[in-house]
Amino acid sequence: MSGQQHGFVPLDKGGEVIRPAKLWCDTTTAVECDEITEKLGGMKQTIRALGNAVLPGFTASKILWLKKHEPKNYRLLATVLLPHDYLNFWLTGEKVMEYGDASGTALLDVRKRKWSSAVLDAIDPGLVDKLPKLISSNQPAGRLQAATAKALDLTPGVLVSAGGGDNMMGAIGTGNTRAGVITASFGTSGTIYACAEKPVVDPQGEIAAFCDSTNRWLPLLCTMNVTVATEMVREDFGWTHEKFAAESARIPAGSNGLLLLPYFEGERTPNVPDGTGVWFGVNKKTFEAGHFARAAMEGVTLGMNYGLRRLAELGVKPKQIRATGGGAKSKVWRQIMADVFNAEVVTLKVSEGAAYGAALQALWCWRLQQGEKISIQEITDRFVKLNSAETVQPNRKNVEVYRELQALQDEMSLSLRGVFTKHRRFVVR
């Protein structure tokens, strides 16, 4: 199973869902993040305890939010699961969580792969009894139970592997199972991540020090708004994807100075939960559809590059970017990626990395259960193939254009932080 990360699926004693899941993209828990961080002694102490900051996207603050805002529901809480864990529970009847997805809860000490007593106590000392059993990523979650087997018309006893979050599965599905490879996923949100043999902890808390789903680590950055931005523009103009690409292609790199700060749903990297979208550089020359289309792609890619540069500062430097997700299907956008990242960009023959990664992890688990001694790298080397026809190299002239535009976006982001907070108060009153 592959599933979105961080979503809080609360179960009662009977295994029934108490309320709709509070999703990763819900940024209403910023106050709870601050409360947990303060109880832990501040940001430095928090990162020392967890390896990560406590951010609104993660699960920890959502649990505290439930305790504070829906006490009746919280009193019913017996088990904390994430979306893919819940699917595994439905399949097997077993309540387990593997290290990769657990590391995205902000409840796990990622260095030791153990629940952090410090953060659990900051939320509720009784929370430890509501967390599922932790398992390593090469273990099975269980076997298909009879009732679910009947519903799916499958044979009971089918092996169900541990599974993992969509990014952890995407790493496997793109062959990102050894150092030096970096995956960039251009979906509704954007993620960039790498495989590491030891934890990569960011003292500033901007890069997530996750575990992966191969029993190693997955330093990761996440931006909340990628195809959110491009689809908003495309749908408003009533264009097909082909028309969107054609209109974007006729506009020069840099969109003649039209720049998007793409914080439509708030932002996670950098951590700007009160953020909103900003179009900058609008004038008679740029106030037309093609400019807005290209600037949308450029703006979200520059936003992702903010985190990629931070990864490089932490020692994770790309030799190659493996692009996946809906945005990777666009030839125009792949060139923008190569120019902004200043790196070779490749795609995969199987483009749906997260689903493919879940299948490959299941194969790994099954073969290990058969007694074989096989590594995940052997499996990904055999089954993950590049689509060489879509490989793109950076254009040196455009690299310089985007370097200058990146500096403008970074400065704009910093200068508007206070304005974002005032604006949020205005629109929610």
Short mmCIF file of all heavy atoms in Angstrom, two decimals, residues 55-101:
data_model
loop_
_atom_site.label_atom_id
_atom_site.label_comp_id
_atom_site.label_asym_id
_atom_site.label_seq_id
_atom_site.Cartn_x
_atom_site.Cartn_y
_atom_site.Cartn_z
N LEU A 55 5.83 20.62 12.47
CA LEU A 55 5.22 21.50 11.47
C LEU A 55 3.73 21.18 11.31
O LEU A 55 3.29 20.06 11.61
CB LEU A 55 5.94 21.33 10.13
CG LEU A 55 7.44 21.63 10.12
CD1 LEU A 55 8.03 21.38 8.74
CD2 LEU A 55 7.71 23.07 10.57
N PRO A 56 2.94 22.14 10.81
CA PRO A 56 1.50 21.92 10.69
C PRO A 56 1.13 20.73 9.82
O PRO A 56 0.08 20.11 10.03
CB PRO A 56 1.00 23.23 10.05
CG PRO A 56 2.00 24.25 10.47
CD PRO A 56 3.31 23.53 10.49
N GLY A 57 1.97 20.38 8.85
CA GLY A 57 1.65 19.25 7.99
C GLY A 57 1.74 17.90 8.69
O GLY A 57 1.09 16.95 8.28
N PHE A 58 2.56 17.82 9.74
CA PHE A 58 2.80 16.54 10.41
C PHE A 58 1.64 16.16 11.32
O PHE A 58 0.78 16.98 11.65
CB PHE A 58 4.10 16.60 11.21
CG PHE A 58 5.35 16.82 10.37
CD1 PHE A 58 6.54 17.23 10.96
CD2 PHE A 58 5.33 16.63 9.01
CE1 PHE A 58 7.68 17.44 10.21
CE2 PHE A 58 6.46 16.83 8.23
CZ PHE A 58 7.64 17.24 8.83
N THR A 59 1.63 14.93 11.79
CA THR A 59 0.49 14.37 12.51
C THR A 59 0.39 14.85 13.94
O THR A 59 -0.72 14.98 14.48
CB THR A 59 0.57 12.83 12.49
OG1 THR A 59 0.97 12.39 11.19
CG2 THR A 59 -0.76 12.20 12.84
N ALA A 60 1.50 15.09 14.60
CA ALA A 60 1.51 15.38 16.04
C ALA A 60 0.56 16.52 16.40
O ALA A 60 -0.25 16.40 17.34
CB ALA A 60 2.92 15.70 16.50
N SER A 61 0.64 17.63 15.66
CA SER A 61 -0.19 18.78 16.00
C SER A 61 -1.67 18.51 15.74
O SER A 61 -2.54 19.10 16.39
CB SER A 61 0.26 20.01 15.20
OG SER A 61 0.08 19.79 13.81
N LYS A 62 -1.97 17.60 14.83
CA LYS A 62 -3.36 17.26 14.54
C LYS A 62 -3.99 16.49 15.71
O LYS A 62 -5.18 16.61 15.99
CB LYS A 62 -3.43 16.47 13.24
CG LYS A 62 -2.80 17.20 12.05
CD LYS A 62 -2.85 16.39 10.77
CE LYS A 62 -1.96 17.01 9.70
NZ LYS A 62 -2.23 18.43 9.41
N ILE A 63 -3.16 15.67 16.37
CA ILE A 63 -3.65 14.93 17.54
C ILE A 63 -3.95 15.90 18.68
O ILE A 63 -5.01 15.81 19.32
CB ILE A 63 -2.60 13.89 17.99
CG1 ILE A 63 -2.36 12.87 16.86
CG2 ILE A 63 -3.07 13.17 19.25
CD1 ILE A 63 -1.20 11.92 17.13
N LEU A 64 -3.04 16.85 18.91
CA LEU A 64 -3.28 17.84 19.96
C LEU A 64 -4.50 18.70 19.61
O LEU A 64 -5.28 19.06 20.50
CB LEU A 64 -2.04 18.71 20.15
CG LEU A 64 -2.14 19.79 21.25
CD1 LEU A 64 -2.48 19.17 22.60
CD2 LEU A 64 -0.84 20.60 21.32
N TRP A 65 -4.66 19.02 18.34
CA TRP A 65 -5.83 19.80 17.90
C TRP A 65 -7.12 19.05 18.25
O TRP A 65 -8.07 19.66 18.77
CB TRP A 65 -5.75 20.03 16.39
CG TRP A 65 -6.87 20.87 15.85
CD1 TRP A 65 -6.87 22.22 15.64
CD2 TRP A 65 -8.16 20.40 15.43
NE1 TRP A 65 -8.08 22.63 15.13
CE2 TRP A 65 -8.89 21.54 15.00
CE3 TRP A 65 -8.78 19.16 15.39
CZ2 TRP A 65 -10.21 21.46 14.52
CZ3 TRP A 65 -10.09 19.07 14.93
CH2 TRP A 65 -10.79 20.20 14.49
N LEU A 66 -7.16 17.75 18.01
CA LEU A 66 -8.35 16.96 18.34
C LEU A 66 -8.61 17.01 19.84
O LEU A 66 -9.76 17.16 20.28
CB LEU A 66 -8.17 15.51 17.88
CG LEU A 66 -9.40 14.62 18.03
CD1 LEU A 66 -10.47 14.98 17.02
CD2 LEU A 66 -9.01 13.14 17.87
N LYS A 67 -7.56 16.88 20.62
CA LYS A 67 -7.70 16.90 22.08
C LYS A 67 -8.29 18.23 22.56
O LYS A 67 -9.16 18.26 23.45
CB LYS A 67 -6.33 16.67 22.72
CG LYS A 67 -6.34 16.67 24.24
CD LYS A 67 -4.92 16.51 24.78
CE LYS A 67 -4.91 16.58 26.31
NZ LYS A 67 -3.53 16.49 26.85
N LYS A 68 -7.85 19.34 21.94
CA LYS A 68 -8.29 20.66 22.38
C LYS A 68 -9.65 21.07 21.82
O LYS A 68 -10.46 21.68 22.51
CB LYS A 68 -7.25 21.71 21.96
CG LYS A 68 -5.94 21.63 22.73
CD LYS A 68 -4.86 22.50 22.11
CE LYS A 68 -5.25 23.95 22.01
NZ LYS A 68 -4.18 24.76 21.41
N HIS A 69 -9.91 20.72 20.55
CA HIS A 69 -11.09 21.23 19.87
C HIS A 69 -12.26 20.25 19.81
O HIS A 69 -13.41 20.67 19.64
CB HIS A 69 -10.72 21.66 18.44
CG HIS A 69 -9.79 22.83 18.40
ND1 HIS A 69 -10.22 24.14 18.37
CD2 HIS A 69 -8.43 22.89 18.39
CE1 HIS A 69 -9.18 24.95 18.34
NE2 HIS A 69 -8.08 24.21 18.34
N GLU A 70 -11.96 18.96 19.92
CA GLU A 70 -13.03 17.96 19.88
C GLU A 70 -12.79 16.95 21.02
O GLU A 70 -12.50 15.77 20.79
CB GLU A 70 -13.06 17.25 18.52
CG GLU A 70 -13.37 18.20 17.36
CD GLU A 70 -13.42 17.47 16.01
OE1 GLU A 70 -13.28 16.23 15.98
OE2 GLU A 70 -13.59 18.16 14.99
N PRO A 71 -12.90 17.41 22.26
CA PRO A 71 -12.59 16.53 23.40
C PRO A 71 -13.43 15.26 23.45
O PRO A 71 -12.93 14.22 23.89
CB PRO A 71 -12.83 17.44 24.62
CG PRO A 71 -13.67 18.57 24.12
CD PRO A 71 -13.29 18.77 22.70
N LYS A 72 -14.68 15.33 23.01
CA LYS A 72 -15.52 14.13 23.01
C LYS A 72 -14.93 13.08 22.07
O LYS A 72 -14.89 11.89 22.39
CB LYS A 72 -16.94 14.47 22.60
CG LYS A 72 -17.72 15.25 23.65
CD LYS A 72 -19.16 15.49 23.22
CE LYS A 72 -19.94 16.26 24.28
NZ LYS A 72 -21.34 16.51 23.86
N ASN A 73 -14.51 13.51 20.88
CA ASN A 73 -13.89 12.58 19.94
C ASN A 73 -12.55 12.07 20.47
O ASN A 73 -12.20 10.90 20.28
CB ASN A 73 -13.69 13.25 18.58
CG ASN A 73 -14.96 13.32 17.76
OD1 ASN A 73 -15.86 12.49 17.95
ND2 ASN A 73 -15.05 14.28 16.85
N TYR A 74 -11.81 12.96 21.14
CA TYR A 74 -10.50 12.54 21.65
C TYR A 74 -10.65 11.46 22.72
O TYR A 74 -9.83 10.54 22.81
CB TYR A 74 -9.73 13.74 22.21
CG TYR A 74 -8.30 13.38 22.56
CD1 TYR A 74 -7.33 13.27 21.56
CD2 TYR A 74 -7.93 13.11 23.87
CE1 TYR A 74 -6.02 12.92 21.86
CE2 TYR A 74 -6.62 12.76 24.19
CZ TYR A 74 -5.68 12.66 23.18
OH TYR A 74 -4.39 12.29 23.48
N ARG A 75 -11.71 11.56 23.51
CA ARG A 75 -11.93 10.55 24.55
C ARG A 75 -12.23 9.18 23.96
O ARG A 75 -12.01 8.15 24.61
CB ARG A 75 -13.07 10.99 25.48
CG ARG A 75 -12.66 12.07 26.48
CD ARG A 75 -13.67 12.23 27.60
NE ARG A 75 -14.92 12.79 27.12
CZ ARG A 75 -15.18 14.10 27.09
NH1 ARG A 75 -14.26 14.99 27.47
NH2 ARG A 75 -16.35 14.53 26.66
N LEU A 76 -12.68 9.16 22.71
CA LEU A 76 -12.96 7.89 22.03
C LEU A 76 -11.70 7.30 21.38
O LEU A 76 -11.70 6.14 20.97
CB LEU A 76 -14.02 8.10 20.95
CG LEU A 76 -15.42 8.52 21.42
CD1 LEU A 76 -16.29 8.84 20.21
CD2 LEU A 76 -16.06 7.42 22.26
N LEU A 77 -10.64 8.11 21.28
CA LEU A 77 -9.44 7.69 20.53
C LEU A 77 -8.76 6.50 21.19
O LEU A 77 -8.39 6.55 22.36
CB LEU A 77 -8.46 8.86 20.43
CG LEU A 77 -7.15 8.60 19.67
CD1 LEU A 77 -7.44 8.33 18.19
CD2 LEU A 77 -6.20 9.79 19.81
N ALA A 78 -8.60 5.43 20.41
CA ALA A 78 -7.91 4.24 20.89
C ALA A 78 -6.66 3.95 20.08
O ALA A 78 -5.70 3.37 20.60
CB ALA A 78 -8.84 3.03 20.86
N THR A 79 -6.66 4.33 18.78
CA THR A 79 -5.52 4.03 17.90
C THR A 79 -5.30 5.18 16.92
O THR A 79 -6.26 5.68 16.31
CB THR A 79 -5.74 2.74 17.09
OG1 THR A 79 -6.08 1.68 17.98
CG2 THR A 79 -4.49 2.37 16.32
N VAL A 80 -4.04 5.58 16.77
CA VAL A 80 -3.64 6.57 15.77
C VAL A 80 -3.07 5.83 14.57
O VAL A 80 -2.09 5.09 14.69
CB VAL A 80 -2.57 7.53 16.34
CG1 VAL A 80 -2.03 8.46 15.25
CG2 VAL A 80 -3.13 8.33 17.51
N LEU A 81 -3.68 6.03 13.41
CA LEU A 81 -3.15 5.46 12.16
C LEU A 81 -2.99 6.55 11.12
O LEU A 81 -3.59 7.62 11.23
CB LEU A 81 -4.07 4.36 11.62
CG LEU A 81 -4.21 3.07 12.44
CD1 LEU A 81 -5.14 2.10 11.75
CD2 LEU A 81 -2.86 2.41 12.70
N LEU A 82 -2.18 6.28 10.12
CA LEU A 82 -2.05 7.12 8.94
C LEU A 82 -2.84 6.48 7.80
O LEU A 82 -3.26 5.32 7.90
CB LEU A 82 -0.58 7.29 8.58
CG LEU A 82 0.32 7.85 9.69
CD1 LEU A 82 1.73 8.05 9.18
CD2 LEU A 82 -0.24 9.15 10.24
N PRO A 83 -3.08 7.19 6.70
CA PRO A 83 -3.95 6.64 5.65
C PRO A 83 -3.56 5.25 5.15
O PRO A 83 -4.41 4.37 5.04
CB PRO A 83 -3.84 7.70 4.54
CG PRO A 83 -3.68 8.98 5.30
CD PRO A 83 -2.77 8.62 6.45
N HIS A 84 -2.28 5.03 4.85
CA HIS A 84 -1.93 3.70 4.32
C HIS A 84 -1.98 2.64 5.41
O HIS A 84 -2.27 1.47 5.15
CB HIS A 84 -0.58 3.74 3.59
CG HIS A 84 0.56 3.09 4.31
ND1 HIS A 84 1.39 3.77 5.16
CD2 HIS A 84 0.99 1.80 4.31
CE1 HIS A 84 2.29 2.94 5.65
NE2 HIS A 84 2.08 1.73 5.16
N ASP A 85 -1.72 3.06 6.68
CA ASP A 85 -1.86 2.12 7.79
C ASP A 85 -3.30 1.65 7.93
O ASP A 85 -3.56 0.48 8.24
CB ASP A 85 -1.45 2.78 9.11
CG ASP A 85 -0.04 3.31 9.10
OD1 ASP A 85 0.84 2.64 8.52
OD2 ASP A 85 0.19 4.39 9.66
N TYR A 86 -4.23 2.58 7.71
CA TYR A 86 -5.65 2.22 7.83
C TYR A 86 -6.04 1.21 6.75
O TYR A 86 -6.78 0.26 7.00
CB TYR A 86 -6.55 3.45 7.76
CG TYR A 86 -8.01 3.08 7.83
CD1 TYR A 86 -8.57 2.67 9.04
CD2 TYR A 86 -8.80 3.06 6.69
CE1 TYR A 86 -9.90 2.29 9.12
CE2 TYR A 86 -10.12 2.68 6.76
CZ TYR A 86 -10.67 2.29 7.98
OH TYR A 86 -11.99 1.88 8.04
N LEU A 87 -5.52 1.42 5.54
CA LEU A 87 -5.80 0.45 4.47
C LEU A 87 -5.21 -0.92 4.80
O LEU A 87 -5.84 -1.96 4.57
CB LEU A 87 -5.26 0.96 3.13
CG LEU A 87 -5.99 2.17 2.55
CD1 LEU A 87 -5.27 2.67 1.30
CD2 LEU A 87 -7.44 1.85 2.24
N ASN A 88 -4.01 -0.92 5.36
CA ASN A 88 -3.41 -2.19 5.80
C ASN A 88 -4.25 -2.84 6.89
O ASN A 88 -4.41 -4.07 6.93
CB ASN A 88 -1.99 -1.95 6.31
CG ASN A 88 -0.96 -1.86 5.19
OD1 ASN A 88 -1.23 -2.22 4.05
ND2 ASN A 88 0.23 -1.38 5.52
N PHE A 89 -4.79 -2.02 7.80
CA PHE A 89 -5.66 -2.54 8.87
C PHE A 89 -6.92 -3.15 8.26
O PHE A 89 -7.37 -4.23 8.68
CB PHE A 89 -6.00 -1.39 9.82
CG PHE A 89 -7.09 -1.71 10.81
CD1 PHE A 89 -6.96 -2.74 11.72
CD2 PHE A 89 -8.27 -0.96 10.82
CE1 PHE A 89 -7.97 -3.04 12.63
CE2 PHE A 89 -9.28 -1.26 11.71
CZ PHE A 89 -9.14 -2.29 12.63
N TRP A 90 -7.49 -2.48 7.28
CA TRP A 90 -8.69 -3.00 6.62
C TRP A 90 -8.39 -4.32 5.91
O TRP A 90 -9.19 -5.26 5.91
CB TRP A 90 -9.20 -1.96 5.62
CG TRP A 90 -10.43 -2.40 4.86
CD1 TRP A 90 -11.71 -2.50 5.34
CD2 TRP A 90 -10.49 -2.79 3.48
NE1 TRP A 90 -12.56 -2.93 4.35
CE2 TRP A 90 -11.83 -3.12 3.20
CE3 TRP A 90 -9.54 -2.89 2.46
CZ2 TRP A 90 -12.25 -3.54 1.94
CZ3 TRP A 90 -9.96 -3.30 1.21
CH2 TRP A 90 -11.30 -3.62 0.97
N LEU A 91 -7.20 -4.41 5.35
CA LEU A 91 -6.81 -5.63 4.64
C LEU A 91 -6.50 -6.79 5.60
O LEU A 91 -6.88 -7.94 5.35
CB LEU A 91 -5.58 -5.37 3.76
CG LEU A 91 -5.80 -4.50 2.51
CD1 LEU A 91 -4.46 -4.07 1.94
CD2 LEU A 91 -6.62 -5.25 1.46
N THR A 92 -5.81 -6.49 6.67
CA THR A 92 -5.24 -7.55 7.51
C THR A 92 -5.84 -7.66 8.91
O THR A 92 -5.67 -8.70 9.57
CB THR A 92 -3.72 -7.33 7.69
OG1 THR A 92 -3.52 -6.14 8.48
CG2 THR A 92 -3.01 -7.18 6.35
N GLY A 93 -6.46 -6.59 9.39
CA GLY A 93 -6.91 -6.57 10.78
C GLY A 93 -5.80 -6.22 11.76
O GLY A 93 -6.01 -6.19 12.97
N GLU A 94 -4.58 -5.95 11.26
CA GLU A 94 -3.42 -5.64 12.10
C GLU A 94 -3.17 -4.14 12.12
O GLU A 94 -3.20 -3.47 11.08
CB GLU A 94 -2.17 -6.35 11.56
CG GLU A 94 -2.28 -7.86 11.48
CD GLU A 94 -2.33 -8.52 12.85
OE1 GLU A 94 -1.86 -7.89 13.83
OE2 GLU A 94 -2.82 -9.65 12.94
N LYS A 95 -2.90 -3.59 13.31
CA LYS A 95 -2.60 -2.17 13.46
C LYS A 95 -1.09 -2.01 13.62
O LYS A 95 -0.54 -2.22 14.71
CB LYS A 95 -3.33 -1.62 14.68
CG LYS A 95 -4.86 -1.73 14.58
CD LYS A 95 -5.53 -1.36 15.89
CE LYS A 95 -7.04 -1.58 15.82
NZ LYS A 95 -7.70 -1.34 17.13
N VAL A 96 -0.42 -1.67 12.53
CA VAL A 96 1.03 -1.51 12.54
C VAL A 96 1.41 -0.25 11.76
O VAL A 96 0.61 0.28 10.98
CB VAL A 96 1.75 -2.73 11.92
CG1 VAL A 96 1.48 -3.99 12.72
CG2 VAL A 96 1.33 -2.93 10.46
N MET A 97 2.63 0.21 11.96
CA MET A 97 3.15 1.37 11.23
C MET A 97 4.63 1.14 10.97
O MET A 97 5.36 0.77 11.87
CB MET A 97 2.94 2.64 12.05
CG MET A 97 3.20 3.94 11.28
SD MET A 97 2.97 5.44 12.30
CE MET A 97 1.20 5.39 12.64
N GLU A 98 5.05 1.32 9.71
CA GLU A 98 6.47 1.14 9.42
C GLU A 98 7.22 2.45 9.63
O GLU A 98 6.64 3.52 9.70
CB GLU A 98 6.67 0.56 8.00
CG GLU A 98 6.07 1.36 6.87
CD GLU A 98 6.94 2.49 6.39
OE1 GLU A 98 8.16 2.28 6.22
OE2 GLU A 98 6.42 3.60 6.16
N TYR A 99 8.55 2.34 9.70
CA TYR A 99 9.38 3.47 10.12
C TYR A 99 9.25 4.70 9.20
O TYR A 99 9.30 5.84 9.68
CB TYR A 99 10.85 3.05 10.19
CG TYR A 99 11.14 2.02 11.25
CD1 TYR A 99 11.80 0.83 10.92
CD2 TYR A 99 10.78 2.23 12.57
CE1 TYR A 99 12.08 -0.13 11.89
CE2 TYR A 99 11.05 1.29 13.55
CZ TYR A 99 11.70 0.10 13.20
OH TYR A 99 11.98 -0.83 14.16
N GLY A 100 9.12 4.49 7.89
CA GLY A 100 9.08 5.61 6.97
C GLY A 100 7.92 6.54 7.26
O GLY A 100 8.10 7.75 7.49
N ASP A 101 6.71 5.99 7.26
CA ASP A 101 5.54 6.82 7.52
C ASP A 101 5.53 7.32 8.96
O ASP A 101 5.13 8.45 9.24
CB ASP A 101 4.26 6.03 7.24
CG ASP A 101 3.34 6.76 6.26
OD1 ASP A 101 3.72 7.85 5.80
OD2 ASP A 101 2.25 6.24 5.97
#
